Amino acid sequence: LFDDGVYRILLEYQRVQFGVTTYVALFEPDVRELVEAFGVPVVSVEPEGLPEALAAAFAQEGPAVVHLRALLEMWS
């Protein structure tokens, strides 16, 4: 699950292209709590830890979520 924090890439795109942003400042749920509420294991990682976390998630039986929190910046 890629999490850039409330449609941040759309916010950046709107800002760069139009100089204003609209309808992208939404409520950000607690991803860990939401996933765990369904009984699914979740691990939150930084980009550097993604390969190992994905390997571990695919190796286990049943569903699993890898929560990657990263900030995308347009054109970089």
Side-chain angles (χ1 to χ4, degrees):
L1 172 66
F2 180 81
D3 180 2
D4 72 348
V6 193
Y7 298 109
R8 200 162 316 262
I9 192 65
L10 294 178
L11 186 145
E12 182 72 7
Y13 174 75
Q14 288 179 358
R15 187 186 60 73
V16 168
Q17 293 296 313
F18 308 109
V20 296
T21 60
T22 56
Y23 303 105
V24 289
L26 303 174
F27 171 75
E28 182 177 4
D30 184 324
V31 173
R32 178 172 287 284
E33 275 190 33
L34 184 60
V35 172
E36 288 176 343
F38 287 93
V40 175
V42 59
V43 60
S44 295
V45 297
E46 298 296 321
E48 301 78 28
L50 185 60
E52 294 83 13
L54 285 175
F58 284 125
Q60 73 181 39
E61 190 172 319
V65 170
V66 175
H67 175 221
L68 173 64
R69 194 164 170 95
L71 176 61
L72 294 179
E73 293 183 17
M74 197 98 173
W75 319 121
S76 56

